[in-house]
């Protein structure tokens, strides 16, 4: 509820915590910041600020569809846009734009891989590849131009926010590591220098989180958590994906070995080709399995008959000894098909209790 935001923010700030997240439904980004929020997740909520109160419910896909349809109307040169960007700067609001999400939604193909990951996703195991579809929005025929212009407009908006001095920290809301590299590439595409993008991904988050005394830069006295790359990302941000060594917590890791353990193919390796299935062998194997199944079923039936005979013999016992009754209970518990006993163990437990505690007592009382 929007009315709870100031209460939550006051309590969080009293404990030295920050308030960060989505702009709640029925609330604008301006109201969210005025209520005490320190950070806004996702750039679409900045665009939705200009659509409020026309678009209030943002817990559904309208938070994407309306942005795709209307984003091109709110270019950085509009007075209302410039005023709101200055509002964010004055309130020291941090923005986590997650640009990769909107590239996938507005520019992707619903059945294709997420944009920017085309060279990476084919290396993943099949179950991961299936989950890495872009999830792009279906573009209505009369909205194709609006959707086409939406993402470039958001890139220009990101650059204007950066130029105004608003703090930006990179986030992805998607596959860790690999997607972050593409997120940084999108910042460079927006017009931010690669060296500045690297600073936004390292030093700036450390400042925001208050851990800059031990993290954020490579310097004496800092934690030596770093990566070594084959290239110069200050000139070509794409070189960040060419990681040769990872140092974390005083340990050195080989990225190729880690990917191999995660069943990720090495870059440039060709996928293993499966041979053409032999229809004759498959048919013979299926018949063999069926034959084995019949043998198992026959064996199970014979075993059940044997247990049944033991059960009949146990019912001939007239000894009222508790141990003997327990023996009869054991025979009955083993009676029946194994698959049925496995599926309904509680049923047989109750059945045993009924026969040998309730019914047996009634029979004994009649004999007496």
């Amino acid at each position: 509820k929007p009315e709870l935001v100031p209460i939550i923010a006051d309590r969080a700030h009293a404990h030295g915590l920050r308030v960060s997240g989505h702009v709640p439904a029925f609330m604008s980004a301006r109201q969210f910041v005025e209520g005490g929020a320190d950070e806004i997740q996702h750039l679409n909520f900045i665009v939705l600020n200009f659509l409020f109160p026309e678009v209030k419910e943002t817990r559904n896909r309208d938070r994407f569809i309306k942005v795709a349809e209307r984003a091109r109307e709110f270019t950085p040169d509009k007075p209302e846009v410039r005023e709101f960007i200055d509002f964010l700067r004055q309130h020291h609001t941090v923005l986590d734009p997650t640009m990769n999400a909107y590239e996938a939604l507005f520019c992707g193909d619903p059945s294709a891989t997420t944009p920017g990951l085309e060279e990476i996703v084919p290396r993943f195991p099949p179950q991961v590849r299936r989950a890495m579809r872009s999830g792009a929005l279906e573009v209505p025929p009369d909205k194709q131009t609006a959707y086409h212009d939406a993402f470039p407009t958001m890139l220009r908006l990101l650059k204007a926010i950066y130029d105004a001095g608003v703090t930006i920290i990179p986030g992805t809301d998607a596959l860790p590591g690999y997607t972050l590299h593409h997120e940084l590439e999108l910042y460079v595409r927006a017009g931010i220098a690669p060296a500045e993008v690297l600073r936004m991904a390292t030093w700036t988050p450390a400042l925001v989180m208050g851990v800059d005394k031990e993290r954020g830069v490579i310097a004496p006295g800092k934690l030596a958590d770093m990566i070594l790359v084959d290239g110069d990302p200050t000139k070509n941000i794409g070189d960040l994906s060419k990681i040769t060594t990872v140092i974390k917590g005083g340990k050195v890791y080989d990225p190729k070995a880690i990917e191999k353990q995660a069943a990720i193919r090495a870059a440039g390796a060709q996928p293993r080709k499966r041979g053409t299935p032999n229809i004759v062998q498959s048919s013979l194997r299926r018949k063999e399995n069926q034959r084995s199944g019949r043998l198992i079923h026959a064996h199970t039936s014979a075993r059940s008959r044997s247990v049944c005979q033991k059960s009949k013999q146990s019912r001939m016992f007239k000894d009222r000894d508790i141990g003997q009754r327990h023996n009869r209970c054991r025979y009955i518990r083993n009676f029946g098909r194994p698959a049925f006993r496995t599926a309904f163990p509680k049923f047989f437990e109750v059945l045993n209790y009924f026969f040998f505690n309730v019914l047996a007592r009634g029979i004994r009382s009649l004999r007496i």
Side-chain angles (χ1 to χ4, degrees):
K1 295 181 178 181
E3 57 269 22
L4 294 179
V5 171
I7 301 174
I8 296 173
D10 290 342
R11 183 64 61 88
H13 294 157
H15 288 78
L17 301 175
R18 301 173 63 252
V19 178
S20 172
H22 292 196
V23 176
F26 309 103
M27 194 177 199
S28 68
R30 181 184 294 271
Q31 294 170 344
F32 187 48
V33 174
E34 290 174 341
D38 302 292
E39 181 177 333
I40 295 177
Q41 307 292 330
H42 311 306
L43 190 65
N44 66 316
F45 287 109
I46 303 299
V47 178
L48 288 171
N49 179 78
F50 308 120
L51 297 175
F52 188 85
E54 178 184 345
V55 180
K56 293 182 178 181
E57 176 57 87
T58 56
R59 293 171 296 180
N60 51 33
R61 291 179 70 85
D62 278 354
R63 69 181 187 272
F64 305 127
I65 296 174
K66 298 301 182 182
V67 171
E69 295 176 351
R70 304 282 302 277
R72 61 176 180 171
E73 301 176 16
F74 306 104
T75 55
D77 59 328
K78 294 290 183 66
E80 58 181 324
V81 176
R82 293 201 305 268
E83 185 275 331
F84 184 66
I85 292 176
D86 190 59
F87 168 83
L88 295 176
R89 181 187 59 80
Q90 293 176 1
H91 284 76
H92 306 286
T93 305
V94 178
L95 176 64
D96 177 7
T98 63
M99 299 301 294
N100 70 94
Y102 309 110
E103 183 187 31
L105 285 169
F106 303 159
C107 309
D109 180 351
S111 61
T113 301
T114 300
L117 301 180
E118 294 88 352
E119 297 182 1
I120 300 172
V121 171
R123 297 165 49 198
F124 293 154
Q127 62 271 28
V128 179
R129 292 201 302 268
R130 287 191 293 267
M132 290 305 296
R133 303 298 182 186
S134 69
L137 299 173
E138 294 288 347
V139 182
D142 59 334
K143 302 289 185 181
Q144 291 184 359
T145 303
Y147 275 66
H148 181 269
D149 296 340
F151 187 66
T153 302
M154 296 183 74
L155 286 176
R156 292 194 296 271
L157 179 60
L158 176 68
K159 180 60 163 56
I161 292 173
Y162 166 78
D163 291 339
V166 177
T167 302
I168 298 174
I169 55 175
T172 63
D173 216 21
L175 185 68
Y178 301 96
T179 309
L180 177 61
H181 297 160
H182 183 60
E183 177 79 6
L184 301 181
E185 292 174 359
L186 292 176
Y187 294 178
V188 174
R189 190 191 305 179
I192 305 175
E196 282 297 302
V197 171
L198 287 176
R199 181 186 61 81
M200 292 163 57
T202 54
W203 178 240
T204 301
L207 288 173
V208 171
M209 298 301 297
V211 294
D212 51 293
K213 292 183 179 180
E214 57 185 22
R215 303 176 186 272
V217 296
I218 300 175
K222 306 286 186 179
L223 294 178
D225 294 343
M226 65 186 76
I227 61 173
L228 303 181
V229 300
D230 183 13
D232 185 359
T234 62
K235 297 179 180 178
N236 179 16
I237 198 68
D239 287 344
L240 274 180
S241 60
K242 303 176 182 178
I243 302 175
T244 60
T245 306
V246 176
I247 304 175
K248 171 68 176 176
K251 296 182 179 180
V252 179
Y253 299 92
D254 180 8
K256 294 181 180 179
I258 296 175
E259 289 186 336
K260 185 177 181 180
Q261 291 294 325
I264 301 175
R265 292 201 318 270
Q270 296 297 324
R272 185 178 61 181
K273 294 183 178 180
R274 296 180 178 272
T276 304
N278 190 316
I279 300 177
V280 176
Q281 291 182 359
S282 299
S283 178
L284 293 175
R285 190 179 300 110
R286 183 168 58 253
K287 291 181 179 180
E288 182 180 352
N289 292 338
Q290 292 175 351
R291 190 181 304 110
S292 300
R294 285 196 297 271
L295 292 175
I296 293 174
H297 178 71
H299 174 74
T300 303
S301 300
R303 180 184 177 187
S304 298
R305 287 195 297 271
S306 175
V307 173
C308 182
Q309 291 175 358
K310 292 181 180 180
S311 177
K312 290 180 180 179
Q313 294 175 1
S314 69
R315 287 198 294 270
M316 297 174 62
F317 296 151
K318 297 182 180 180
D319 194 339
R320 299 180 183 179
D321 181 73
I322 296 177
Q324 194 67 27
R325 290 205 310 270
H326 174 74
N327 192 34
R328 293 200 300 270
C329 180
R330 177 170 58 84
Y331 282 126
I332 292 295
R333 186 180 294 114
N334 290 332
F335 176 71
R337 297 182 64 175
F340 188 77
R341 292 200 313 271
T342 303
F344 301 95
K346 194 67 177 179
F347 169 77
F348 279 97
E349 182 180 344
V350 174
L351 189 64
N352 291 336
Y353 177 84
F354 176 80
F355 272 108
F356 296 104
N357 289 276
V358 179
L359 189 60
R361 290 177 185 175
I363 294 175
R364 287 199 301 272
S365 63
L366 291 176
R367 289 179 180 177
I368 294 174

